[in-house]
Each structure stands twice: as structure tokens, then as C-alpha cells.
Amino acid sequence: MADFFANADSEHSNVSEFSVSGLSGAIKRTVEDAFGRVRVRGELGRVSRPASGHVYLDLKDDRAVIAGVIWKGAASKLPIKPEEGLEVIATGKITTFPGQSKYQIVIDHLEPAGAGALMALLEERKKRLAAEGLFDDERKKPLPYLPKVIGVVTSPTGSVIRDILHRLNDRYPLHVIVWPVRVQGETSAGEVARGIVGFNELEPDGFIMRPDVLIVARGGGSVEDLWGFNEEIVVRAAAMSDIPLISAIGHETDTTLIDYVADRRAPTPTGAAEMAVPVKGELQAYVAQLGARLQAAISRETDKRRERLRASSRGLPAADALLALPRQKLDGISMRLGSGLDRATAQKRIRFAEAAARISPERLSARLSLARGTLQQMEKGLPVSFGRFVTGKRQALETRASALKPTVVARKSVEGRERIAVAVGRLDRALERRFERANADTTRIQRLLRTLSYKSVLARGFSLVRDENGQPVRSNKGLDAGAVLDIEFGDQTRTSAVVGSTASELKKTKKKKQLGDQSQGSLL
């Protein structure tokens, strides 16, 4: 006990004197030895779930309260989700928390205290989800009459999937896609919800065809066995499904919350298959009946139209009477056709002779002589016109040359040089003002950069922690024991630390790192 308490001062008392930590440790060992493992029944009070993943709660009855904690690993394996007001049986060990001088139970298993507690929790959850409108009839979608693909969310090894496939093959064989899930246990709710969401995320024209209707099925069982289908994650996934969903959980007397939110509820998995598809034989018989009715209707309509045609034909005149007048007109036209062609040919011949008389060689020679005279007259006047054109161009050239005298060129050069000097002066002043504004902006940005730089934060007493890849470490999450951290201080000095290592291990790690840096060379 020398490690936990100091020896008593024999001059004042013969009672041993404990240190605070020593006394707390002795109490902790006594409590843990006396209560190695216990089962406690009570009602859950305060339930909190921090970001660490642990669950902190109060276990109470009408006269006392015991603090409880469920570590992250055990919380993920619980068959039920701890909720305030739920009566449970907690299994774990009693221990103390010296930091706050209190005792608590570390729970590794939690179960409802009988079916009554589960039913109370189920009723409360049902009222809360109904208040959100998840069970409203307006949300329910109609089932397709002839689906091409059916998606089934169930266990691939149970008798449920065999019953569904057998009934589908009997009624209407089609393509079935099975999403394998656990239908019982702590992970069943999450797997069923992922199956529903996964089917909805399939593309209609993708490699895996998107189902036209979903069936969520499970065989019968106790309230505890079917509890996964009462979890909110399953109910909300079914409510958000764009694909019509049929729930077939347990027997006809079993009711879960997914039954209220599903578009249709089937009493059994076999009943779900019957709801999803019609009977192929009945469809064939119905189609055959419709075909027979269609054929009979066509026959009746054909007979009716044939009778109408006969009645109409009796009211029409004979064909010879209808064609007599057109036939007479055609005979008259055919008799006049020969004489008409002769008259038209004679008229065309007369017109051709008149045109040929107008195109005689004498007339063509006269027109050619006239054109030749006109061309000769124009040829005689061409030298005079060309001379006048050249004279005009020479006078214009002389006028422009007189304007290019040395004095005129010198005057224009001086004027241009003066304008250039004025422009250069304006350019220098503009550049000077531009440089001044740029220097002022640069100075302001430098001050802002120094203000926002992380080094100014380090100068106030903080330090920057980086991992082995040089990335800043913002939290201790994801750091494994043995990870090497680089720490930078405000005076530009750096040091290294190893997560979960002692000082001697840190020195060894630094020495190895220095040897490694020496062997690889410095990049600075």
C-alpha cells in the first residue's frame, strides 16, 4: 500500500493517512471486486451521445439513480437504441470515476425489460412518425400492373425468398433482383435501409435494371426478432422510396412500423408476390377473351357496312348511264383532234416563214457595216482622249510634289517632335502615379499578409502540429499510436513527437529520423 498512501505520523495518530488518489484507487478496487458483473433493471433517464461515439445515460427507479456509460464498441452492437423513458435490463460491471468521486455502471449489453417496454417505445415512435405525416395515404403510390423487374430486400438463405420466387414463377415469371440483408440482429435495420436506398439509386437504363416494385420481406418471429423493421432508419428509407414498396414482415398478425409507411402491406411474403404480379394464365385467358370479342365486333361491323353498301348501291344509277355522256364528249373531241392538229401546223409554218424572211444576209451585212463604222470612229478619237488623261495625271503629280518642299517637311517634323515630347512628359507623370499606387497597395497587402499569417499566431504562444505528410493536425481522431508528429513554434524552431510514446521512445524516433535525414540529404 506504500504506493497509495503515506505512513501515519506516530506522534499524532495511529490511523493510516491516504492520499486522495490512493483512497480513490482503493475504493475503485473494492467496488469492482465486490460487483464483478451485475444485471440492473430500471428506466433510462438522461441519454447523451457525444461525438466520440460513447453513450452516457442514467439508470433510475423511483428512489435512486445510477450513472451509466456504454463505450463506442459496445454501443454499435446493442440490439436496441437507448432512448429516454425506456425500461431496460442493463448488464455490465460497477466501477468508480475518481475524477468526479462517483460510481457508475459500464454497460456492455442492454435489452428491453419485457415486451411491454418495447410496445410502449413502439407506440411512442409510431405517434411521432405519424405526426410527421409519414403514414398518410396521400404519400402512397400505386403498384404497377405489369412490372418488368422486382427488387426483393430479404435474407438470401431463408425460406422467404424461396416462397417469393416460387409464387412469382407460378403466377408471372419475370426478372427478380435480390438485395441480401440480415433480417434480425443489431445490423439488420441499417442493411435493410441501405437496400431500399440502393435500389432507388439504380439508373433506369443502367447495367443493373432498376426495379419497378420493391418487396421488403421477412418470416415470422417475436417482437424482438422483428424490431429492426421498427427502427426509424428503415421507416424513413421506405417513406423516401420513389419505387412502390410492398412490406411483408412476419405473419398476418405481426405489425411493424414499415407496414404503415409502405405503399401496400402483404400478410405474408407469398401474399406480397401475389400483389406484385397478376396470374399469367388469367392474363392469357383475358387476352384471348378480348381477342374473341374483338373478332366478333369486327365481323358484326363488317356485315353492317356490307349491308349499307348494298343498300347504297341499289340507289345509284347504272354504270352505263353514268358513263354515256362522258363517252360521247370523248368521241366528239377525238374527231376534232386531227383537223385541229392540221390547222396548228399550218399556222406554225406561216410564222416560221415570216421570221426567216426577216433574217436575210443583206440585213445582217448592213448591221455589220454599221458596227464597223462605229468602231473606226472610236479608234480615231482614242489618242486624243488618252493624251488628255495623261496631262491631267501629270498636273496632279506636280501639285503634290510642290507641297513636299524641305521647309514644309522641316516644319512638320518640328511640330511632330513637340507633340511627342508633350506625350512623353504626360506618360512619365502617369507612370509615376501608377507606381505610387502600386507601392501603396503592395504595402497594404504585406501588412494584411503578416496579420493573417499563421506565424503571427505562433508568435503569441501557439504551435502548429503536422503529420508525417506535412498536413496540419486539427484533431486527435485518426491518429494511431506511433504516428510521428512535427511541431513548429513561434521562434521558427521545430521538434517531433510520437503519439502514445514515452520520452525514451521519442528520443529513439528523433535519432532514427535524424539518421534518415542525414542518409537522404537535406532539402533546405
Side-chain angles (χ1 to χ4, degrees):
M1 300 292 290
D3 295 334
F4 306 103
F5 60 88
N7 293 329
D9 189 351
S10 57
E11 296 179 358
H12 301 284
S13 173
N14 59 356
V15 179
S16 298
E17 180 179 318
F18 287 83
S19 65
V20 175
S21 59
L23 181 59
S24 297
I27 295 173
K28 179 179 179 67
R29 288 192 299 275
T30 301
V31 171
E32 291 180 351
D33 292 341
F35 301 95
R37 189 170 179 80
V38 296
R39 284 169 57 86
V40 183
R41 179 168 182 162
E43 180 183 341
L44 293 181
R46 172 191 58 86
V47 178
S48 61
R49 298 176 179 84
S52 61
H54 309 314
V55 179
Y56 298 93
L57 52 84
D58 289 336
L59 196 61
K60 64 181 182 178
D61 58 14
D62 56 346
R63 289 178 294 181
V65 178
I66 298 177
V69 59
I70 308 174
W71 302 127
K72 180 179 179 181
S76 62
K77 300 178 182 179
L78 292 178
I80 62 173
K81 181 179 179 181
E83 295 185 13
E84 186 174 352
L86 180 63
E87 187 177 2
V88 298
I89 298 176
T91 304
K93 64 179 181 178
I94 301 295
T95 184
T96 64
F97 182 41
Q100 296 182 1
S101 298
K102 69 177 184 180
Y103 66 93
Q104 61 186 10
I105 177 172
V106 179
I107 301 171
D108 54 27
H109 184 71
L110 197 67
E111 57 184 294
L118 282 179
M119 296 309 296
L121 176 61
L122 178 63
E123 188 64 26
E124 185 275 331
R125 186 176 295 172
K126 177 182 175 183
K127 291 180 180 179
R128 178 161 47 83
L129 295 176
E132 297 181 16
L134 298 184
F135 303 157
D136 293 347
D137 293 336
E138 292 77 7
R139 297 176 57 93
K140 300 186 183 300
K141 299 174 286 295
L143 300 181
Y145 182 66
L146 285 176
K148 297 180 180 179
V149 181
I150 293 181
V152 181
V153 181
T154 188
S155 172
T157 60
S159 61
V160 171
I161 186 61
R162 292 195 296 270
D163 293 342
I164 292 176
L165 294 177
H166 180 71
R167 183 50 57 95
L168 290 176
N169 288 330
D170 289 343
R171 291 175 65 87
Y172 195 92
L174 45 67
H175 188 64
V176 178
I177 303 176
V178 179
W179 192 292
V181 297
R182 293 184 180 90
V183 294
Q184 183 174 339
E186 61 273 7
T187 62
S188 63
E191 293 183 14
V192 172
R194 285 192 295 272
I196 297 174
V197 174
F199 273 130
N200 279 270
E201 290 178 349
L202 293 176
E203 296 293 336
D205 299 328
F207 178 74
I208 299 177
M209 294 183 292
R210 184 183 186 187
D212 300 313
V213 65
L214 295 182
I215 297 176
V216 181
R218 187 205 187 282
S222 62
V223 176
E224 293 81 0
D225 295 338
L226 303 179
W227 190 255
F229 297 92
N230 292 319
E231 295 291 349
E232 284 191 40
I233 186 174
V234 175
V235 177
R236 295 188 183 277
M240 296 300 294
S241 175
D242 295 328
I243 304 174
L245 187 143
I246 302 174
S247 66
I249 309 302
H251 301 298
E252 187 172 2
T253 57
D254 299 324
T255 303
T256 58
L257 293 184
I258 192 176
D259 296 330
Y260 294 100
V261 75
D263 298 303
R264 292 285 296 274
R265 176 184 181 267
T268 60
T270 303
E274 295 175 354
M275 289 182 181
V277 295
V279 180
K280 185 177 182 180
E282 295 179 356
L283 285 179
Q284 292 174 339
Y286 182 62
V287 171
Q289 180 183 0
L290 291 178
R293 293 173 59 188
L294 177 62
Q295 188 64 35
I298 293 175
S299 299
R300 289 193 300 272
E301 185 66 20
T302 303
D303 294 339
K304 185 186 299 183
R305 289 178 181 271
R306 185 180 293 110
E307 185 63 30
R308 289 179 181 177
L309 180 61
R310 290 171 181 172
S312 300
S313 63
R314 286 193 294 269
L316 292 175
D320 293 338
L322 290 174
L323 297 176
L325 183 60
R327 190 178 288 124
Q328 185 177 1
K329 290 182 178 179
L330 178 62
D331 292 339
I333 293 173
S334 61
M335 288 186 296
R336 293 195 302 269
L337 180 60
S339 59
L341 288 175
D342 293 338
R343 286 194 300 272
T345 302
Q347 292 175 359
K348 295 295 183 181
R349 186 177 291 111
I350 293 171
R351 291 180 183 178
F352 179 74
E354 292 176 353
R358 289 195 300 267
I359 310 175
S360 61
E362 293 77 9
R363 295 174 67 88
L364 291 176
S365 298
R367 296 195 63 173
L368 183 60
S369 299
L370 180 61
R372 186 181 292 110
T374 303
L375 180 61
Q376 291 175 353
Q377 186 178 0
M378 292 176 64
E379 183 179 0
K380 293 178 181 179
L382 180 61
V384 178
S385 300
F386 184 73
R388 287 198 299 269
F389 176 76
V390 172
T391 301
K393 292 294 184 181
R394 184 180 291 110
Q395 291 176 354
L397 181 61
E398 291 175 354
T399 302
R400 292 190 177 185
S402 62
L404 297 176
K405 295 180 179 180
T407 56
V408 176
V409 174
R411 185 179 70 255
K412 291 184 177 294
S413 177
V414 171
E415 292 176 354
R417 192 177 295 109
E418 291 176 353
R419 288 197 297 271
I420 291 174
V422 172
V424 168
R426 294 172 61 189
L427 178 61
D428 291 338
R429 290 192 296 274
L431 289 175
E432 184 177 357
R433 290 193 297 272
R434 184 66 177 269
F435 288 147
E436 290 176 355
R437 289 197 299 271
N439 289 332
D441 293 340
T442 303
T443 304
R444 184 176 67 258
I445 293 173
Q446 288 176 348
R447 288 198 300 269
L448 179 61
L449 181 60
R450 286 194 296 270
T451 302
L452 300 179
S453 175
Y454 77 96
K455 293 183 178 181
S456 61
V457 179
L458 298 181
R460 296 199 294 270
F462 294 91
S463 60
L464 176 61
V465 181
R466 297 186 177 92
D467 57 16
E468 295 177 351
N469 298 323
Q471 298 298 323
V473 178
R474 297 180 173 84
S475 173
N476 60 355
K477 292 182 179 179
L479 293 179
D480 300 328
V484 179
L485 304 179
D486 180 60
I487 305 176
E488 180 180 350
F489 299 96
D491 57 358
Q492 307 301 319
T493 60
R494 293 191 176 185
T495 185
S496 299
V498 180
V499 177
S501 299
T502 61
S504 61
E505 292 175 347
L506 178 59
K507 291 179 179 179
K508 292 179 181 179
T509 303
K510 286 184 176 179
K511 187 173 182 181
K512 290 180 180 179
K513 186 177 181 181
Q514 292 174 357
L515 291 176
D517 294 339
Q518 292 175 3
S519 62
Q520 296 176 3
S522 175
L523 298 177
L524 299 179

